[in-house]
Amino acid sequence: MANGRGDGRGPQVPPGRTALASTGDRVYPGTVLLTQAEGYEVVVAELKRLFPKEGKTITTSGFPPLDSAPGGTLGSYRILASTLEKFGATVDLRHPDVCFVPTVSAVAIRDLDRPEDLYADVDSLSPEDGEVDEFLCSSETTGHTAITEELCTWLLDRLPQR
């Protein structure tokens, strides 16, 4: 079962854009975390601190735009923003929820390294294309491990009757 949709549509998170920034002047001022974009040497974070004053650019290479992939979501940037605020930071949170477990991974049908696989229309694929006998993708994007009537009904219908 997947908490993500099976039609190739994920959360509306544009790749390569600011997801979270520390905008104050005390706690990691100027630190920016960006959503994952496709490519090589793609900047995903500009980390900055005051004491001692230092900065570091974090890049990735060879990843598809994972944050916007179809899949169950997690409030990853929301969690980080909340933690920063507890330490006195002022934050600009633009994309609190991103893909956490891609649909194609949850139903073991495709790999994650190519956008055409990551964003595949899983609903149109046969289970023979994957590693499981049956699967169901959520009709709407829901949080990772969210228990929905749709997914529970499907699962319970497959359990042995006593």
Side-chain angles (χ1 to χ4, degrees):
M1 296 185 308
N3 285 108
R5 296 169 63 128
D7 61 2
R9 293 178 26 207
Q12 298 299 305
V13 178
R17 301 292 174 92
T18 298
L20 172 64
S22 181
T23 57
D25 59 359
R26 290 186 24 225
V27 181
Y28 302 110
T31 289
V32 178
L33 304 176
L34 298 108
T35 58
Q36 179 68 57
E38 184 176 12
Y40 292 89
E41 297 298 315
V42 173
V43 175
V44 292
E46 292 285 350
L47 306 176
K48 298 179 182 176
R49 69 176 184 208
L50 284 177
F51 303 109
K53 191 170 181 95
E54 189 172 346
K56 183 173 185 174
T57 299
I58 307 297
T59 62
T60 62
S61 291
F63 287 102
L66 291 162
D67 291 324
S68 58
T73 59
L74 184 66
S76 305
Y77 293 110
R78 181 189 328 273
I79 293 166
L80 184 53
S82 175
T83 302
L84 287 169
E85 287 174 329
K86 286 178 186 174
F87 286 96
T90 303
V91 299
D92 176 10
L93 177 60
R94 298 182 189 178
H95 300 288
D97 303 302
V98 295
C99 177
F100 184 64
V101 176
T103 296
V104 295
S105 179
V107 299
I109 202 152
R110 295 279 170 96
D111 290 326
L112 306 176
D113 52 349
R114 299 181 327 149
E116 56 269 25
D117 289 335
L118 185 62
Y119 288 83
D121 182 354
V122 173
D123 288 340
S124 70
L125 301 174
S126 167
E128 286 81 37
D129 290 339
E131 300 174 26
V132 295
D133 294 330
E134 287 185 275
F135 61 81
L136 176 71
C137 300
S138 181
S139 59
E140 295 296 327
T141 299
T142 58
H144 175 61
T145 71
I147 299 169
T148 66
E149 182 177 350
E150 173 187 30
L151 296 175
C152 284
T153 299
W154 183 85
L155 178 62
L156 291 174
D157 286 347
R158 280 148 184 78
L159 294 177
Q161 302 297 314
R162 288 191 150 187

PDB file of all heavy atoms in Angstrom, residues 110-140:
ATOM      1  N   ARG A 110       9.218   0.357  -9.070  1.00  0.00           N
ATOM      2  CA  ARG A 110      10.246   1.039  -9.861  1.00  0.00           C
ATOM      3  C   ARG A 110      11.347   1.547  -8.946  1.00  0.00           C
ATOM      4  O   ARG A 110      11.180   1.644  -7.744  1.00  0.00           O
ATOM      5  CB  ARG A 110       9.643   2.233 -10.625  1.00  0.00           C
ATOM      6  CG  ARG A 110       8.623   1.876 -11.697  1.00  0.00           C
ATOM      7  CD  ARG A 110       9.309   1.440 -12.981  1.00  0.00           C
ATOM      8  NE  ARG A 110       8.405   0.869 -13.944  1.00  0.00           N
ATOM      9  CZ  ARG A 110       7.845   1.526 -14.943  1.00  0.00           C
ATOM     10  NH1 ARG A 110       8.059   2.815 -15.100  1.00  0.00           N
ATOM     11  NH2 ARG A 110       7.059   0.903 -15.795  1.00  0.00           N
ATOM     12  N   ASP A 111      12.467   1.928  -9.556  1.00  0.00           N
ATOM     13  CA  ASP A 111      13.564   2.528  -8.801  1.00  0.00           C
ATOM     14  C   ASP A 111      13.337   4.030  -8.681  1.00  0.00           C
ATOM     15  O   ASP A 111      12.433   4.578  -9.301  1.00  0.00           O
ATOM     16  CB  ASP A 111      14.895   2.244  -9.495  1.00  0.00           C
ATOM     17  CG  ASP A 111      15.290   0.770  -9.397  1.00  0.00           C
ATOM     18  OD1 ASP A 111      14.975   0.153  -8.362  1.00  0.00           O
ATOM     19  OD2 ASP A 111      15.900   0.257 -10.350  1.00  0.00           O
ATOM     20  N   LEU A 112      14.211   4.683  -7.925  1.00  0.00           N
ATOM     21  CA  LEU A 112      14.045   6.103  -7.643  1.00  0.00           C
ATOM     22  C   LEU A 112      14.996   7.008  -8.411  1.00  0.00           C
ATOM     23  O   LEU A 112      14.912   8.214  -8.295  1.00  0.00           O
ATOM     24  CB  LEU A 112      14.274   6.365  -6.146  1.00  0.00           C
ATOM     25  CG  LEU A 112      13.462   5.552  -5.168  1.00  0.00           C
ATOM     26  CD1 LEU A 112      13.881   5.882  -3.744  1.00  0.00           C
ATOM     27  CD2 LEU A 112      11.987   5.801  -5.363  1.00  0.00           C
ATOM     28  N   ASP A 113      15.901   6.443  -9.181  1.00  0.00           N
ATOM     29  CA  ASP A 113      16.974   7.260  -9.732  1.00  0.00           C
ATOM     30  C   ASP A 113      16.634   7.993 -11.019  1.00  0.00           C
ATOM     31  O   ASP A 113      17.362   8.891 -11.425  1.00  0.00           O
ATOM     32  CB  ASP A 113      18.254   6.448  -9.898  1.00  0.00           C
ATOM     33  CG  ASP A 113      18.050   5.159 -10.670  1.00  0.00           C
ATOM     34  OD1 ASP A 113      16.895   4.769 -10.905  1.00  0.00           O
ATOM     35  OD2 ASP A 113      19.062   4.534 -11.030  1.00  0.00           O
ATOM     36  N   ARG A 114      15.528   7.657 -11.677  1.00  0.00           N
ATOM     37  CA  ARG A 114      15.153   8.345 -12.922  1.00  0.00           C
ATOM     38  C   ARG A 114      13.761   8.950 -12.763  1.00  0.00           C
ATOM     39  O   ARG A 114      12.841   8.278 -12.290  1.00  0.00           O
ATOM     40  CB  ARG A 114      15.151   7.375 -14.097  1.00  0.00           C
ATOM     41  CG  ARG A 114      16.505   6.747 -14.361  1.00  0.00           C
ATOM     42  CD  ARG A 114      16.518   5.791 -15.534  1.00  0.00           C
ATOM     43  NE  ARG A 114      15.263   5.068 -15.701  1.00  0.00           N
ATOM     44  CZ  ARG A 114      14.797   4.663 -16.880  1.00  0.00           C
ATOM     45  NH1 ARG A 114      15.472   4.888 -17.968  1.00  0.00           N
ATOM     46  NH2 ARG A 114      13.658   4.007 -16.950  1.00  0.00           N
ATOM     47  N   PRO A 115      13.591  10.212 -13.163  1.00  0.00           N
ATOM     48  CA  PRO A 115      12.277  10.845 -13.016  1.00  0.00           C
ATOM     49  C   PRO A 115      11.141  10.061 -13.676  1.00  0.00           C
ATOM     50  O   PRO A 115      10.051   9.979 -13.123  1.00  0.00           O
ATOM     51  CB  PRO A 115      12.455  12.208 -13.682  1.00  0.00           C
ATOM     52  CG  PRO A 115      13.906  12.489 -13.587  1.00  0.00           C
ATOM     53  CD  PRO A 115      14.590  11.149 -13.700  1.00  0.00           C
ATOM     54  N   GLU A 116      11.397   9.461 -14.830  1.00  0.00           N
ATOM     55  CA  GLU A 116      10.322   8.720 -15.502  1.00  0.00           C
ATOM     56  C   GLU A 116       9.862   7.511 -14.693  1.00  0.00           C
ATOM     57  O   GLU A 116       8.711   7.075 -14.810  1.00  0.00           O
ATOM     58  CB  GLU A 116      10.710   8.314 -16.929  1.00  0.00           C
ATOM     59  CG  GLU A 116      11.975   7.507 -17.032  1.00  0.00           C
ATOM     60  CD  GLU A 116      13.230   8.344 -17.238  1.00  0.00           C
ATOM     61  OE1 GLU A 116      13.274   9.528 -16.858  1.00  0.00           O
ATOM     62  OE2 GLU A 116      14.207   7.783 -17.770  1.00  0.00           O
ATOM     63  N   ASP A 117      10.735   6.962 -13.861  1.00  0.00           N
ATOM     64  CA  ASP A 117      10.335   5.877 -12.969  1.00  0.00           C
ATOM     65  C   ASP A 117       9.699   6.433 -11.692  1.00  0.00           C
ATOM     66  O   ASP A 117       8.668   5.951 -11.240  1.00  0.00           O
ATOM     67  CB  ASP A 117      11.532   5.002 -12.598  1.00  0.00           C
ATOM     68  CG  ASP A 117      12.012   4.151 -13.760  1.00  0.00           C
ATOM     69  OD1 ASP A 117      11.202   3.860 -14.655  1.00  0.00           O
ATOM     70  OD2 ASP A 117      13.193   3.780 -13.770  1.00  0.00           O
ATOM     71  N   LEU A 118      10.312   7.451 -11.120  1.00  0.00           N
ATOM     72  CA  LEU A 118       9.824   8.051  -9.882  1.00  0.00           C
ATOM     73  C   LEU A 118       8.414   8.611 -10.045  1.00  0.00           C
ATOM     74  O   LEU A 118       7.594   8.525  -9.135  1.00  0.00           O
ATOM     75  CB  LEU A 118      10.786   9.162  -9.446  1.00  0.00           C
ATOM     76  CG  LEU A 118      10.525   9.845  -8.115  1.00  0.00           C
ATOM     77  CD1 LEU A 118      10.611   8.864  -6.965  1.00  0.00           C
ATOM     78  CD2 LEU A 118      11.517  10.981  -7.923  1.00  0.00           C
ATOM     79  N   TYR A 119       8.129   9.172 -11.211  1.00  0.00           N
ATOM     80  CA  TYR A 119       6.822   9.785 -11.478  1.00  0.00           C
ATOM     81  C   TYR A 119       5.935   8.901 -12.347  1.00  0.00           C
ATOM     82  O   TYR A 119       5.004   9.377 -12.987  1.00  0.00           O
ATOM     83  CB  TYR A 119       7.019  11.145 -12.152  1.00  0.00           C
ATOM     84  CG  TYR A 119       7.560  12.187 -11.203  1.00  0.00           C
ATOM     85  CD1 TYR A 119       8.919  12.282 -10.928  1.00  0.00           C
ATOM     86  CD2 TYR A 119       6.706  13.073 -10.569  1.00  0.00           C
ATOM     87  CE1 TYR A 119       9.412  13.225 -10.046  1.00  0.00           C
ATOM     88  CE2 TYR A 119       7.189  14.021  -9.688  1.00  0.00           C
ATOM     89  CZ  TYR A 119       8.537  14.086  -9.434  1.00  0.00           C
ATOM     90  OH  TYR A 119       9.021  15.021  -8.556  1.00  0.00           O
ATOM     91  N   ALA A 120       6.194   7.607 -12.367  1.00  0.00           N
ATOM     92  CA  ALA A 120       5.426   6.675 -13.210  1.00  0.00           C
ATOM     93  C   ALA A 120       3.947   6.653 -12.810  1.00  0.00           C
ATOM     94  O   ALA A 120       3.591   6.844 -11.648  1.00  0.00           O
ATOM     95  CB  ALA A 120       6.004   5.266 -13.080  1.00  0.00           C
ATOM     96  N   ASP A 121       3.110   6.411 -13.795  1.00  0.00           N
ATOM     97  CA  ASP A 121       1.679   6.218 -13.564  1.00  0.00           C
ATOM     98  C   ASP A 121       1.510   4.783 -13.079  1.00  0.00           C
ATOM     99  O   ASP A 121       1.230   3.866 -13.846  1.00  0.00           O
ATOM    100  CB  ASP A 121       0.900   6.471 -14.854  1.00  0.00           C
ATOM    101  CG  ASP A 121      -0.597   6.337 -14.673  1.00  0.00           C
ATOM    102  OD1 ASP A 121      -1.049   5.948 -13.580  1.00  0.00           O
ATOM    103  OD2 ASP A 121      -1.319   6.619 -15.643  1.00  0.00           O
ATOM    104  N   VAL A 122       1.712   4.575 -11.795  1.00  0.00           N
ATOM    105  CA  VAL A 122       1.716   3.250 -11.185  1.00  0.00           C
ATOM    106  C   VAL A 122       0.358   2.563 -11.354  1.00  0.00           C
ATOM    107  O   VAL A 122       0.287   1.347 -11.539  1.00  0.00           O
ATOM    108  CB  VAL A 122       2.110   3.344  -9.693  1.00  0.00           C
ATOM    109  CG1 VAL A 122       1.967   2.005  -8.995  1.00  0.00           C
ATOM    110  CG2 VAL A 122       3.540   3.860  -9.573  1.00  0.00           C
ATOM    111  N   ASP A 123      -0.723   3.337 -11.320  1.00  0.00           N
ATOM    112  CA  ASP A 123      -2.063   2.754 -11.459  1.00  0.00           C
ATOM    113  C   ASP A 123      -2.237   2.004 -12.773  1.00  0.00           C
ATOM    114  O   ASP A 123      -3.040   1.080 -12.858  1.00  0.00           O
ATOM    115  CB  ASP A 123      -3.145   3.832 -11.352  1.00  0.00           C
ATOM    116  CG  ASP A 123      -3.303   4.362  -9.940  1.00  0.00           C
ATOM    117  OD1 ASP A 123      -2.881   3.678  -8.983  1.00  0.00           O
ATOM    118  OD2 ASP A 123      -3.851   5.478  -9.796  1.00  0.00           O
ATOM    119  N   SER A 124      -1.476   2.400 -13.781  1.00  0.00           N
ATOM    120  CA  SER A 124      -1.614   1.752 -15.084  1.00  0.00           C
ATOM    121  C   SER A 124      -0.679   0.551 -15.248  1.00  0.00           C
ATOM    122  O   SER A 124      -0.720  -0.120 -16.274  1.00  0.00           O
ATOM    123  CB  SER A 124      -1.349   2.761 -16.206  1.00  0.00           C
ATOM    124  OG  SER A 124       0.025   3.119 -16.227  1.00  0.00           O
ATOM    125  N   LEU A 125       0.155   0.290 -14.249  1.00  0.00           N
ATOM    126  CA  LEU A 125       1.117  -0.806 -14.334  1.00  0.00           C
ATOM    127  C   LEU A 125       0.545  -2.089 -13.734  1.00  0.00           C
ATOM    128  O   LEU A 125      -0.270  -2.050 -12.814  1.00  0.00           O
ATOM    129  CB  LEU A 125       2.405  -0.437 -13.606  1.00  0.00           C
ATOM    130  CG  LEU A 125       3.138   0.803 -14.113  1.00  0.00           C
ATOM    131  CD1 LEU A 125       4.308   1.131 -13.205  1.00  0.00           C
ATOM    132  CD2 LEU A 125       3.594   0.621 -15.544  1.00  0.00           C
ATOM    133  N   SER A 126       1.004  -3.176 -14.225  1.00  0.00           N
ATOM    134  CA  SER A 126       0.610  -4.484 -13.699  1.00  0.00           C
ATOM    135  C   SER A 126       1.496  -4.826 -12.507  1.00  0.00           C
ATOM    136  O   SER A 126       2.689  -4.501 -12.508  1.00  0.00           O
ATOM    137  CB  SER A 126       0.799  -5.538 -14.790  1.00  0.00           C
ATOM    138  OG  SER A 126       0.706  -6.827 -14.242  1.00  0.00           O
ATOM    139  N   PRO A 127       0.939  -5.516 -11.496  1.00  0.00           N
ATOM    140  CA  PRO A 127       1.798  -5.956 -10.388  1.00  0.00           C
ATOM    141  C   PRO A 127       2.972  -6.812 -10.861  1.00  0.00           C
ATOM    142  O   PRO A 127       3.996  -6.871 -10.187  1.00  0.00           O
ATOM    143  CB  PRO A 127       0.845  -6.764  -9.503  1.00  0.00           C
ATOM    144  CG  PRO A 127      -0.494  -6.192  -9.780  1.00  0.00           C
ATOM    145  CD  PRO A 127      -0.467  -5.825 -11.251  1.00  0.00           C
ATOM    146  N   GLU A 128       2.838  -7.458 -12.012  1.00  0.00           N
ATOM    147  CA  GLU A 128       3.947  -8.255 -12.547  1.00  0.00           C
ATOM    148  C   GLU A 128       5.174  -7.389 -12.852  1.00  0.00           C
ATOM    149  O   GLU A 128       6.276  -7.897 -12.984  1.00  0.00           O
ATOM    150  CB  GLU A 128       3.529  -9.011 -13.811  1.00  0.00           C
ATOM    151  CG  GLU A 128       2.617 -10.200 -13.555  1.00  0.00           C
ATOM    152  CD  GLU A 128       1.152  -9.797 -13.371  1.00  0.00           C
ATOM    153  OE1 GLU A 128       0.672  -8.858 -14.051  1.00  0.00           O
ATOM    154  OE2 GLU A 128       0.493 -10.411 -12.521  1.00  0.00           O
ATOM    155  N   ASP A 129       4.970  -6.070 -12.989  1.00  0.00           N
ATOM    156  CA  ASP A 129       6.081  -5.153 -13.222  1.00  0.00           C
ATOM    157  C   ASP A 129       6.897  -4.906 -11.953  1.00  0.00           C
ATOM    158  O   ASP A 129       7.970  -4.309 -12.015  1.00  0.00           O
ATOM    159  CB  ASP A 129       5.574  -3.805 -13.743  1.00  0.00           C
ATOM    160  CG  ASP A 129       5.035  -3.886 -15.153  1.00  0.00           C
ATOM    161  OD1 ASP A 129       5.385  -4.833 -15.874  1.00  0.00           O
ATOM    162  OD2 ASP A 129       4.260  -2.991 -15.532  1.00  0.00           O
ATOM    163  N   GLY A 130       6.389  -5.346 -10.816  1.00  0.00           N
ATOM    164  CA  GLY A 130       7.051  -5.080  -9.549  1.00  0.00           C
ATOM    165  C   GLY A 130       7.342  -6.333  -8.761  1.00  0.00           C
ATOM    166  O   GLY A 130       7.370  -7.442  -9.303  1.00  0.00           O
ATOM    167  N   GLU A 131       7.522  -6.153  -7.470  1.00  0.00           N
ATOM    168  CA  GLU A 131       7.946  -7.230  -6.588  1.00  0.00           C
ATOM    169  C   GLU A 131       6.838  -7.755  -5.677  1.00  0.00           C
ATOM    170  O   GLU A 131       7.084  -8.650  -4.875  1.00  0.00           O
ATOM    171  CB  GLU A 131       9.113  -6.740  -5.729  1.00  0.00           C
ATOM    172  CG  GLU A 131      10.312  -6.315  -6.559  1.00  0.00           C
ATOM    173  CD  GLU A 131      11.410  -5.695  -5.703  1.00  0.00           C
ATOM    174  OE1 GLU A 131      11.493  -6.018  -4.500  1.00  0.00           O
ATOM    175  OE2 GLU A 131      12.170  -4.884  -6.238  1.00  0.00           O
ATOM    176  N   VAL A 132       5.633  -7.210  -5.771  1.00  0.00           N
ATOM    177  CA  VAL A 132       4.530  -7.660  -4.922  1.00  0.00           C
ATOM    178  C   VAL A 132       3.395  -8.188  -5.796  1.00  0.00           C
ATOM    179  O   VAL A 132       3.286  -7.839  -6.977  1.00  0.00           O
ATOM    180  CB  VAL A 132       4.020  -6.530  -4.003  1.00  0.00           C
ATOM    181  CG1 VAL A 132       5.097  -6.120  -3.012  1.00  0.00           C
ATOM    182  CG2 VAL A 132       3.549  -5.335  -4.795  1.00  0.00           C
ATOM    183  N   ASP A 133       2.555  -9.034  -5.214  1.00  0.00           N
ATOM    184  CA  ASP A 133       1.447  -9.633  -5.965  1.00  0.00           C
ATOM    185  C   ASP A 133       0.317  -8.644  -6.219  1.00  0.00           C
ATOM    186  O   ASP A 133      -0.341  -8.699  -7.255  1.00  0.00           O
ATOM    187  CB  ASP A 133       0.887 -10.847  -5.217  1.00  0.00           C
ATOM    188  CG  ASP A 133       1.899 -11.978  -5.127  1.00  0.00           C
ATOM    189  OD1 ASP A 133       2.735 -12.098  -6.041  1.00  0.00           O
ATOM    190  OD2 ASP A 133       1.859 -12.724  -4.142  1.00  0.00           O
ATOM    191  N   GLU A 134       0.056  -7.781  -5.260  1.00  0.00           N
ATOM    192  CA  GLU A 134      -1.004  -6.787  -5.368  1.00  0.00           C
ATOM    193  C   GLU A 134      -0.553  -5.509  -4.691  1.00  0.00           C
ATOM    194  O   GLU A 134       0.259  -5.546  -3.770  1.00  0.00           O
ATOM    195  CB  GLU A 134      -2.274  -7.245  -4.638  1.00  0.00           C
ATOM    196  CG  GLU A 134      -3.067  -8.324  -5.275  1.00  0.00           C
ATOM    197  CD  GLU A 134      -4.337  -8.554  -4.463  1.00  0.00           C
ATOM    198  OE1 GLU A 134      -4.273  -9.319  -3.489  1.00  0.00           O
ATOM    199  OE2 GLU A 134      -5.370  -7.947  -4.808  1.00  0.00           O
ATOM    200  N   PHE A 135      -1.132  -4.397  -5.100  1.00  0.00           N
ATOM    201  CA  PHE A 135      -0.864  -3.143  -4.412  1.00  0.00           C
ATOM    202  C   PHE A 135      -2.020  -2.181  -4.625  1.00  0.00           C
ATOM    203  O   PHE A 135      -2.823  -2.353  -5.534  1.00  0.00           O
ATOM    204  CB  PHE A 135       0.455  -2.503  -4.869  1.00  0.00           C
ATOM    205  CG  PHE A 135       0.509  -2.155  -6.324  1.00  0.00           C
ATOM    206  CD1 PHE A 135      -0.072  -1.002  -6.809  1.00  0.00           C
ATOM    207  CD2 PHE A 135       1.181  -2.988  -7.215  1.00  0.00           C
ATOM    208  CE1 PHE A 135       0.003  -0.676  -8.160  1.00  0.00           C
ATOM    209  CE2 PHE A 135       1.260  -2.670  -8.557  1.00  0.00           C
ATOM    210  CZ  PHE A 135       0.668  -1.511  -9.031  1.00  0.00           C
ATOM    211  N   LEU A 136      -2.082  -1.195  -3.757  1.00  0.00           N
ATOM    212  CA  LEU A 136      -3.054  -0.119  -3.880  1.00  0.00           C
ATOM    213  C   LEU A 136      -2.349   1.181  -3.564  1.00  0.00           C
ATOM    214  O   LEU A 136      -1.608   1.273  -2.577  1.00  0.00           O
ATOM    215  CB  LEU A 136      -4.227  -0.312  -2.906  1.00  0.00           C
ATOM    216  CG  LEU A 136      -5.253   0.821  -2.897  1.00  0.00           C
ATOM    217  CD1 LEU A 136      -6.063   0.810  -4.198  1.00  0.00           C
ATOM    218  CD2 LEU A 136      -6.162   0.719  -1.694  1.00  0.00           C
ATOM    219  N   CYS A 137      -2.597   2.171  -4.386  1.00  0.00           N
ATOM    220  CA  CYS A 137      -2.099   3.515  -4.137  1.00  0.00           C
ATOM    221  C   CYS A 137      -3.278   4.366  -3.688  1.00  0.00           C
ATOM    222  O   CYS A 137      -4.397   4.195  -4.169  1.00  0.00           O
ATOM    223  CB  CYS A 137      -1.485   4.120  -5.399  1.00  0.00           C
ATOM    224  SG  CYS A 137      -0.100   3.170  -6.044  1.00  0.00           S
ATOM    225  N   SER A 138      -3.030   5.263  -2.792  1.00  0.00           N
ATOM    226  CA  SER A 138      -4.068   6.144  -2.282  1.00  0.00           C
ATOM    227  C   SER A 138      -4.629   7.006  -3.411  1.00  0.00           C
ATOM    228  O   SER A 138      -3.906   7.386  -4.327  1.00  0.00           O
ATOM    229  CB  SER A 138      -3.485   7.033  -1.181  1.00  0.00           C
ATOM    230  OG  SER A 138      -4.453   7.878  -0.637  1.00  0.00           O
ATOM    231  N   SER A 139      -5.906   7.314  -3.333  1.00  0.00           N
ATOM    232  CA  SER A 139      -6.512   8.175  -4.356  1.00  0.00           C
ATOM    233  C   SER A 139      -6.109   9.629  -4.159  1.00  0.00           C
ATOM    234  O   SER A 139      -6.196  10.434  -5.085  1.00  0.00           O
ATOM    235  CB  SER A 139      -8.035   8.039  -4.351  1.00  0.00           C
ATOM    236  OG  SER A 139      -8.549   8.382  -3.083  1.00  0.00           O
ATOM    237  N   GLU A 140      -5.656   9.966  -2.951  1.00  0.00           N
ATOM    238  CA  GLU A 140      -5.166  11.309  -2.637  1.00  0.00           C
ATOM    239  C   GLU A 140      -3.853  11.181  -1.878  1.00  0.00           C
ATOM    240  O   GLU A 140      -3.653  10.220  -1.143  1.00  0.00           O
ATOM    241  CB  GLU A 140      -6.172  12.072  -1.765  1.00  0.00           C
ATOM    242  CG  GLU A 140      -7.487  12.354  -2.453  1.00  0.00           C
ATOM    243  CD  GLU A 140      -7.344  13.275  -3.656  1.00  0.00           C
ATOM    244  OE1 GLU A 140      -6.468  14.160  -3.644  1.00  0.00           O
ATOM    245  OE2 GLU A 140      -8.110  13.094  -4.620  1.00  0.00           O
TER     246      GLU A 140
END
